Amino acid sequence: MFETVLKCTKCGKEYSLASGIYKCEKCGAPLDVQYDYDSIRDLIEDNDSWFREPPRVWKYWMFYPVSNLRKIVSLNEGGTRLYRMKNLEKKLGFGKLYVKNEGENPTGAFKDRGSSVEITKALEFHAKKVVVASTGNMAASVSAYGSKAGLEVTIVVPEGTPIGKLVQAVVYGAKIKIHGSTYDESLAESERMAREEGYYLTGNYHYRVEGQKSTGFEIFDQLRFDSPDWIVVPIGAGTHLRAIWKAAKEFYELGLIEKLPKIAGAQIEGYDAIVRAWKERKPITPIKEKKPTVASAIAVKAPVDGENVIKAIDESEGYLGAVTNEETMEAGMMLGKEGLFVEPSSATALALAKTMREEGIIDKDESVVIVATGHGLKDIKTWESFIKL
Ligand SMILES: *Cc1c(COP(=O)(O)O)cnc(C)c1O
Ligand SMILES: [Zn+2]
């Protein structure tokens, strides 16, 4: 309702929201939705009841580019709990430690926040069928929301994808198309199907960013419109981290929080292209070889929002680091002792925060929010091989 234009995150070129493009036509970089923030401010400034509403994705509807609130596609995503981890904070020496438990979302991961907005947009663009290239949580989430909206959903995956990873998407009603030998080839195929065969393209594009901002909105809201010192997020494509930083800047711009958090991003060893580029101050070079990993949800070779992650880290004076498979599983076990069972990819955030505390990057008095992106039941195989029953 308050959206104005699409703007390229790299070259700044602007496009109309009606154009239906999914990346910059000039430079190929991701796009970003722009808003008229003065109107949003007028709407919420003196609205006491808005502040009292419980946090959930659609509480923040004025920050999304949707035109009719009666036509949103929702499975009651968001509103996930923010847990204070008193035992762990004492053990690891943090001022305060919280975990945002995204495994509580309808399909078990934060992706549902983005899918709700993205599939709502697909209906606005009169889509009949949607396509997404993914082997994991994105596929499951788009399938659930697409089917709920009455759309046909096709998941494009490379040859040799273990079918076990697609079970959830198939149960939600998706069709599987096998194409190419790598994820990149599947992605290119999904984009071709969108251009040539009338599919609506879903994935890590600008409308998903908007819905995924809600992880950030909810964190600030749950801390009574205050900001923690740090928010630590696992990075795959980088789209979620980019969205959380955008949320922080929007709330700050509207005066809803008084200070900005520092953002930290965790990558897994072997898939650390962004960390390396950031440390060496060089452009991001995609990972070439496939390496064994416990964190399949973030084992991304060519992260589409890598440059936007680096921008967010620099703007927030934050930090990027890679953690090992071993550190990740151990961090997951620590969360288990606090009553939380998370997907290994999610545990990378705690593993990184622990290292940052040990190295003094996080100070002993500082407050930290860990974003636990997905439920442990999402990747039982990896947990099984770690605990060796
Ligand atoms: C998708 C996903 C991530 C990574 O998010 P990006 O937006 O790709 O950076 C992290 N953890 C889990 C569980 C995921 O499903
Ligand atoms: Zn551009």
Side-chain angles (χ1 to χ4, degrees), residues 188-248:
E189 173 65 4
S190 70
E191 294 183 352
R192 188 201 62 77
M193 288 163 72
R195 274 194 314 272
E196 296 173 13
E197 296 176 19
Y199 284 85
Y200 186 89
L201 182 65
T202 63
N204 283 317
Y205 305 104
H206 48 276
Y207 291 132
R208 172 163 297 277
V209 173
E210 297 309 298
Q212 290 176 182
K213 290 188 301 195
S214 60
T215 306
F217 293 149
E218 288 184 8
I219 290 171
F220 303 124
D221 199 333
Q222 287 168 310
L223 295 175
R224 298 168 189 257
F225 290 92
D226 195 2
S227 172
D229 293 305
W230 289 90
I231 299 178
V232 190
V233 192
I235 316 171
T239 310
H240 195 203
L241 186 149
R242 166 191 167 191
I244 291 170
W245 178 237
K246 185 175 181 185

Coordinates of all heavy atoms in Angstrom, one line a residue, residues 188-248:
A188 N 18.7 -21.7 -13.1 CA 18.6 -21.1 -14.5 C 17.3 -21.6 -15.2 O 16.6 -20.9 -15.9 CB 19.8 -21.4 -15.3
E189 N 17.0 -22.9 -15.0 CA 15.8 -23.5 -15.6 C 14.5 -22.9 -15.0 O 13.6 -22.6 -15.7 CB 15.8 -25.0 -15.4 CG 14.6 -25.8 -15.8 CD 14.3 -25.7 -17.3 OE1 15.1 -25.2 -18.1 OE2 13.2 -26.2 -17.7
S190 N 14.5 -22.6 -13.7 CA 13.3 -22.0 -13.1 C 13.1 -20.6 -13.7 O 12.0 -20.2 -14.0 CB 13.4 -22.0 -11.6 OG 14.4 -21.0 -11.1
E191 N 14.2 -19.9 -13.9 CA 14.1 -18.5 -14.4 C 13.6 -18.6 -15.9 O 12.9 -17.8 -16.4 CB 15.4 -17.8 -14.3 CG 15.7 -17.5 -12.8 CD 17.0 -16.7 -12.5 OE1 17.8 -16.4 -13.4 OE2 17.2 -16.4 -11.3
R192 N 14.1 -19.6 -16.6 CA 13.7 -19.8 -18.0 C 12.2 -20.1 -18.1 O 11.4 -19.6 -18.9 CB 14.4 -20.9 -18.7 CG 14.2 -21.0 -20.2 CD 14.5 -22.4 -20.8 NE 13.8 -23.5 -20.2 CZ 12.5 -23.8 -20.5 NH1 11.8 -23.1 -21.4 NH2 11.9 -24.8 -19.9
M193 N 11.7 -21.0 -17.2 CA 10.3 -21.3 -17.1 C 9.4 -20.1 -16.8 O 8.3 -20.0 -17.4 CB 10.0 -22.4 -16.1 CG 10.6 -23.8 -16.5 SD 10.7 -24.9 -15.1 CE 9.0 -25.3 -14.8
A194 N 10.0 -19.2 -16.0 CA 9.2 -18.0 -15.7 C 9.2 -17.1 -17.0 O 8.1 -16.5 -17.3 CB 9.9 -17.2 -14.6
R195 N 10.3 -17.0 -17.7 CA 10.3 -16.1 -18.9 C 9.5 -16.7 -20.0 O 8.7 -16.0 -20.7 CB 11.7 -16.0 -19.4 CG 12.5 -14.9 -18.8 CD 13.8 -14.6 -19.6 NE 14.5 -15.8 -19.9 CZ 15.4 -16.4 -19.2 NH1 15.8 -15.9 -18.0 NH2 16.0 -17.5 -19.6
E196 N 9.6 -18.0 -20.2 CA 9.0 -18.6 -21.5 C 7.7 -19.4 -21.3 O 7.0 -19.6 -22.2 CB 10.1 -19.5 -22.1 CG 11.3 -18.7 -22.6 CD 12.4 -19.7 -23.0 OE1 12.2 -20.9 -23.3 OE2 13.6 -19.2 -23.2
E197 N 7.5 -19.8 -20.1 CA 6.3 -20.7 -19.9 C 5.2 -20.2 -19.0 O 4.3 -21.0 -18.6 CB 6.8 -22.1 -19.5 CG 7.7 -22.8 -20.5 CD 8.2 -24.1 -20.1 OE1 7.7 -24.7 -19.1 OE2 9.2 -24.6 -20.7
G198 N 5.3 -18.9 -18.6 CA 4.3 -18.3 -17.8 C 4.2 -18.7 -16.4 O 3.2 -18.5 -15.7
Y199 N 5.3 -19.3 -15.8 CA 5.4 -19.6 -14.4 C 5.7 -18.3 -13.6 O 6.4 -17.4 -14.1 CB 6.5 -20.6 -14.1 CG 6.1 -22.0 -14.4 CD1 6.3 -22.5 -15.7 CD2 5.6 -22.9 -13.5 CE1 6.0 -23.8 -16.1 CE2 5.2 -24.2 -13.8 CZ 5.4 -24.6 -15.1 OH 5.1 -25.9 -15.4
Y200 N 5.1 -18.2 -12.4 CA 5.5 -17.1 -11.5 C 6.7 -17.6 -10.7 O 6.7 -18.6 -10.1 CB 4.4 -16.7 -10.6 CG 4.7 -15.5 -9.8 CD1 4.3 -14.2 -10.2 CD2 5.3 -15.6 -8.5 CE1 4.6 -13.1 -9.5 CE2 5.6 -14.5 -7.8 CZ 5.3 -13.3 -8.2 OH 5.6 -12.2 -7.5
L201 N 7.8 -16.8 -10.8 CA 9.1 -17.2 -10.2 C 9.1 -16.9 -8.7 O 8.9 -15.7 -8.3 CB 10.2 -16.5 -10.9 CG 11.6 -16.8 -10.5 CD1 12.0 -18.3 -10.8 CD2 12.7 -15.9 -11.2
T202 N 9.4 -17.9 -7.9 CA 9.6 -17.6 -6.5 C 11.0 -18.0 -6.0 O 11.6 -18.8 -6.7 CB 8.5 -18.4 -5.6 OG1 8.7 -19.8 -5.8 CG2 7.1 -18.0 -6.0
G203 N 11.4 -17.5 -4.9 CA 12.8 -17.8 -4.4 C 13.4 -16.6 -3.7 O 12.6 -15.8 -3.2
N204 N 14.7 -16.5 -3.8 CA 15.3 -15.4 -3.1 C 15.3 -14.1 -3.9 O 16.3 -13.6 -4.3 CB 16.7 -15.7 -2.7 CG 16.7 -16.6 -1.5 OD1 16.0 -16.4 -0.5 ND2 17.6 -17.7 -1.5
Y205 N 14.1 -13.5 -4.0 CA 13.9 -12.3 -4.8 C 13.2 -11.2 -3.9 O 12.9 -11.5 -2.7 CB 13.0 -12.6 -6.0 CG 13.6 -13.7 -6.9 CD1 13.1 -15.0 -6.9 CD2 14.7 -13.4 -7.6 CE1 13.6 -16.0 -7.6 CE2 15.3 -14.5 -8.4 CZ 14.8 -15.7 -8.4 OH 15.3 -16.7 -9.1
H206 N 13.0 -10.0 -4.4 CA 12.6 -8.9 -3.5 C 11.4 -9.1 -2.7 O 11.3 -8.6 -1.6 CB 12.6 -7.6 -4.3 CG 11.8 -7.7 -5.6 ND1 12.4 -8.2 -6.8 CD2 10.5 -7.4 -5.9 CE1 11.4 -8.2 -7.7 NE2 10.3 -7.7 -7.2
Y207 N 10.3 -9.8 -3.2 CA 9.1 -9.9 -2.4 C 9.3 -10.7 -1.1 O 8.8 -10.5 -0.1 CB 7.9 -10.3 -3.2 CG 7.5 -9.3 -4.2 CD1 7.2 -9.6 -5.5 CD2 7.3 -8.0 -3.8 CE1 6.8 -8.7 -6.4 CE2 6.9 -7.0 -4.7 CZ 6.7 -7.3 -6.0 OH 6.3 -6.4 -6.9
R208 N 10.1 -11.8 -1.3 CA 10.5 -12.6 -0.2 C 11.2 -11.8 0.9 O 11.0 -12.0 2.1 CB 11.4 -13.8 -0.7 CG 12.0 -14.7 0.4 CD 12.5 -16.0 -0.1 NE 11.3 -16.7 -0.6 CZ 10.5 -17.4 0.1 NH1 10.7 -17.6 1.4 NH2 9.5 -18.1 -0.4
V209 N 12.1 -11.0 0.5 CA 12.8 -10.1 1.5 C 11.8 -9.4 2.4 O 12.0 -9.3 3.6 CB 13.7 -9.0 0.7 CG1 14.3 -8.0 1.7 CG2 14.8 -9.7 -0.1
E210 N 10.8 -8.8 1.7 CA 9.8 -8.0 2.5 C 9.2 -8.8 3.6 O 9.1 -8.4 4.8 CB 8.8 -7.4 1.6 CG 9.4 -6.5 0.5 CD 10.3 -5.4 1.2 OE1 9.8 -4.6 2.0 OE2 11.5 -5.4 0.9
G211 N 8.7 -10.1 3.3 CA 8.1 -10.9 4.3 C 9.1 -11.3 5.4 O 8.8 -11.4 6.6
Q212 N 10.4 -11.6 5.0 CA 11.4 -12.1 5.9 C 11.9 -10.9 6.9 O 12.6 -11.2 7.8 CB 12.5 -12.8 5.2 CG 11.9 -14.1 4.7 CD 12.8 -15.0 3.8 OE1 12.3 -16.0 3.3 NE2 14.0 -14.6 3.6
K213 N 11.5 -9.7 6.5 CA 11.9 -8.6 7.5 C 11.2 -8.8 8.8 O 11.7 -8.4 9.9 CB 11.4 -7.2 6.9 CG 12.1 -6.7 5.7 CD 11.6 -5.3 5.4 CE 10.2 -5.1 5.1 NZ 9.8 -3.9 4.4
S214 N 10.1 -9.6 8.8 CA 9.3 -9.7 10.0 C 10.1 -10.4 11.1 O 9.7 -10.2 12.3 CB 8.0 -10.4 9.7 OG 8.2 -11.7 9.2
T215 N 11.1 -11.2 10.8 CA 11.9 -11.8 11.9 C 12.5 -10.7 12.7 O 12.5 -10.7 14.0 CB 13.1 -12.6 11.3 OG1 12.6 -13.6 10.4 CG2 13.9 -13.3 12.4
G216 N 13.0 -9.6 12.0 CA 13.6 -8.5 12.7 C 12.5 -7.7 13.5 O 12.6 -7.4 14.7
F217 N 11.4 -7.4 12.8 CA 10.3 -6.6 13.4 C 9.9 -7.2 14.7 O 9.7 -6.6 15.8 CB 9.1 -6.5 12.5 CG 9.3 -5.7 11.3 CD1 8.6 -6.0 10.1 CD2 10.1 -4.6 11.2 CE1 8.7 -5.3 8.9 CE2 10.3 -3.9 10.1 CZ 9.6 -4.2 8.9
E218 N 9.7 -8.6 14.7 CA 9.2 -9.3 15.9 C 10.3 -9.2 17.0 O 9.9 -9.1 18.2 CB 8.9 -10.7 15.5 CG 7.6 -10.9 14.7 CD 7.2 -12.3 14.4 OE1 7.9 -13.2 15.0 OE2 6.3 -12.5 13.6
I219 N 11.5 -9.4 16.7 CA 12.6 -9.3 17.7 C 12.5 -8.0 18.5 O 12.4 -7.9 19.7 CB 14.0 -9.5 17.1 CG1 14.1 -11.0 16.7 CG2 15.1 -9.2 18.1 CD1 15.4 -11.2 15.9
F220 N 12.4 -6.9 17.7 CA 12.4 -5.5 18.4 C 11.1 -5.4 19.2 O 11.1 -4.9 20.3 CB 12.4 -4.4 17.3 CG 13.7 -4.5 16.5 CD1 13.6 -4.6 15.1 CD2 14.9 -4.5 17.1 CE1 14.7 -4.6 14.3 CE2 16.1 -4.6 16.3 CZ 16.0 -4.7 14.9
D221 N 10.0 -5.9 18.6 CA 8.7 -5.8 19.3 C 8.7 -6.6 20.6 O 8.3 -6.1 21.6 CB 7.7 -6.3 18.3 CG 6.2 -5.9 18.6 OD1 6.0 -5.7 19.8 OD2 5.4 -5.9 17.7
Q222 N 9.3 -7.8 20.5 CA 9.3 -8.7 21.7 C 10.2 -8.1 22.8 O 10.1 -8.5 23.9 CB 9.7 -10.1 21.3 CG 8.6 -10.8 20.5 CD 9.0 -12.1 19.8 OE1 10.0 -12.1 19.1 NE2 8.3 -13.2 20.1
L223 N 11.2 -7.3 22.4 CA 12.0 -6.7 23.4 C 11.5 -5.3 23.7 O 12.2 -4.4 24.2 CB 13.5 -6.5 22.8 CG 14.2 -7.8 22.6 CD1 15.6 -7.6 21.9 CD2 14.4 -8.6 23.9
R224 N 10.2 -5.1 23.6 CA 9.4 -3.9 23.9 C 10.0 -2.7 23.1 O 10.4 -1.7 23.7 CB 9.5 -3.6 25.4 CG 8.8 -4.7 26.2 CD 9.1 -4.6 27.6 NE 8.6 -5.8 28.3 CZ 7.5 -5.8 29.1 NH1 6.7 -4.7 29.2 NH2 7.1 -6.9 29.6
F225 N 10.1 -2.9 21.9 CA 10.6 -1.8 21.0 C 12.0 -1.3 21.4 O 12.3 -0.1 21.5 CB 9.6 -0.7 20.7 CG 8.4 -1.2 19.9 CD1 7.3 -1.8 20.5 CD2 8.5 -1.2 18.5 CE1 6.3 -2.3 19.8 CE2 7.5 -1.8 17.8 CZ 6.4 -2.3 18.4
D226 N 12.8 -2.3 21.7 CA 14.2 -2.0 22.0 C 15.0 -2.9 21.1 O 14.5 -3.8 20.5 CB 14.5 -2.3 23.5 CG 15.8 -1.7 24.0 OD1 16.5 -1.0 23.2 OD2 16.2 -2.0 25.1
S227 N 16.3 -2.5 21.0 CA 17.2 -3.3 20.1 C 18.2 -4.0 20.9 O 18.8 -3.4 21.8 CB 17.9 -2.3 19.1 OG 18.8 -3.0 18.4
P228 N 18.5 -5.3 20.6 CA 19.6 -5.9 21.3 C 20.9 -5.4 20.7 O 20.9 -4.7 19.7 CB 19.5 -7.4 20.8 CG 18.9 -7.3 19.5 CD 18.0 -6.1 19.5
D229 N 22.1 -5.6 21.4 CA 23.3 -5.2 20.9 C 23.7 -5.9 19.6 O 24.2 -5.3 18.7 CB 24.4 -5.4 21.9 CG 24.2 -4.5 23.1 OD1 24.1 -3.3 22.9 OD2 24.1 -5.0 24.3
W230 N 23.4 -7.2 19.6 CA 23.7 -8.1 18.4 C 22.6 -8.9 18.0 O 21.8 -9.5 18.9 CB 24.9 -9.0 18.8 CG 26.2 -8.4 19.0 CD1 26.7 -7.9 20.1 CD2 27.2 -8.1 18.0 NE1 28.0 -7.4 19.9 CE2 28.3 -7.5 18.6 CE3 27.3 -8.4 16.6 CZ2 29.5 -7.2 17.9 CZ3 28.4 -8.0 15.9 CH2 29.5 -7.4 16.5
I231 N 22.4 -9.1 16.7 CA 21.6 -10.2 16.2 C 22.5 -11.1 15.3 O 23.2 -10.6 14.4 CB 20.4 -9.6 15.3 CG1 19.5 -8.7 16.1 CG2 19.6 -10.8 14.7 CD1 18.4 -8.1 15.4
V232 N 22.5 -12.4 15.6 CA 23.4 -13.3 14.9 C 22.5 -14.3 14.0 O 21.6 -14.9 14.5 CB 24.3 -14.1 15.9 CG1 25.3 -14.8 15.1 CG2 24.9 -13.2 16.9
V233 N 22.8 -14.3 12.7 CA 22.0 -15.0 11.8 C 22.8 -16.0 10.9 O 23.9 -15.6 10.4 CB 21.4 -13.9 10.8 CG1 20.2 -14.6 10.0 CG2 20.9 -12.7 11.5
P234 N 22.3 -17.2 10.7 CA 23.0 -18.1 9.7 C 22.8 -17.5 8.3 O 21.7 -17.0 8.0 CB 22.3 -19.4 9.9 CG 21.4 -19.3 11.1 CD 21.2 -17.8 11.3
I235 N 23.8 -17.6 7.5 CA 23.7 -17.1 6.1 C 23.8 -18.3 5.1 O 24.8 -19.0 5.0 CB 24.9 -16.2 5.7 CG1 25.2 -15.2 6.8 CG2 24.6 -15.5 4.4 CD1 26.5 -14.4 6.5
G236 N 22.8 -18.4 4.2 CA 22.9 -19.2 3.0 C 23.0 -18.3 1.8 O 24.2 -17.9 1.5
A237 N 21.9 -17.9 1.2 CA 22.0 -16.9 0.1 C 22.2 -15.5 0.7 O 22.6 -14.6 -0.1 CB 20.7 -17.0 -0.7
G238 N 21.9 -15.3 2.0 CA 22.1 -14.0 2.6 C 20.8 -13.2 2.6 O 20.8 -12.1 3.1
T239 N 19.7 -13.7 2.0 CA 18.5 -13.0 1.9 C 17.8 -12.6 3.2 O 17.3 -11.6 3.5 CB 17.5 -13.7 1.0 OG1 18.2 -14.1 -0.2 CG2 16.3 -12.9 0.6
H240 N 17.9 -13.6 4.2 CA 17.3 -13.4 5.5 C 18.0 -12.3 6.3 O 17.4 -11.4 6.8 CB 17.3 -14.7 6.3 CG 16.4 -14.7 7.5 ND1 16.6 -15.6 8.5 CD2 15.3 -14.0 7.8 CE1 15.7 -15.4 9.4 NE2 14.9 -14.5 9.0
L241 N 19.4 -12.4 6.3 CA 20.2 -11.4 7.0 C 19.9 -10.0 6.4 O 19.7 -9.0 7.1 CB 21.7 -11.7 6.9 CG 22.6 -10.8 7.7 CD1 23.8 -11.6 8.2 CD2 23.1 -9.6 7.0
R242 N 19.9 -9.9 5.1 CA 19.6 -8.6 4.4 C 18.3 -8.1 4.9 O 18.1 -6.9 5.1 CB 19.6 -8.9 2.9 CG 19.0 -7.8 2.1 CD 18.8 -8.2 0.6 NE 18.0 -7.2 -0.1 CZ 17.5 -7.4 -1.3 NH1 17.7 -8.5 -1.9 NH2 16.7 -6.5 -1.8
A243 N 17.3 -9.0 5.0 CA 15.9 -8.6 5.4 C 15.9 -8.1 6.8 O 15.2 -7.1 7.1 CB 15.0 -9.7 5.2
I244 N 16.6 -8.8 7.7 CA 16.6 -8.4 9.1 C 17.2 -7.0 9.3 O 16.8 -6.1 10.0 CB 17.3 -9.4 10.0 CG1 16.4 -10.7 10.0 CG2 17.6 -9.0 11.4 CD1 17.1 -12.0 10.6
W245 N 18.3 -6.7 8.5 CA 18.9 -5.4 8.6 C 18.0 -4.3 8.0 O 17.9 -3.2 8.6 CB 20.3 -5.4 7.9 CG 21.0 -4.1 7.8 CD1 21.4 -3.4 6.8 CD2 21.4 -3.3 9.0 NE1 22.0 -2.2 7.1 CE2 22.0 -2.1 8.5 CE3 21.2 -3.5 10.4 CZ2 22.5 -1.1 9.4 CZ3 21.7 -2.5 11.2 CH2 22.3 -1.3 10.7
K246 N 17.3 -4.7 7.0 CA 16.3 -3.7 6.4 C 15.3 -3.3 7.5 O 14.9 -2.2 7.7 CB 15.7 -4.2 5.1 CG 14.8 -3.2 4.4 CD 14.3 -3.7 3.1 CE 13.4 -2.6 2.5 NZ 12.8 -3.1 1.2
A247 N 14.8 -4.4 8.2 CA 13.8 -4.2 9.2 C 14.3 -3.2 10.3 O 13.6 -2.3 10.7 CB 13.4 -5.5 9.8
A248 N 15.6 -3.5 10.7 CA 16.2 -2.6 11.7 C 16.2 -1.2 11.2 O 15.8 -0.2 12.0 CB 17.6 -3.1 12.0

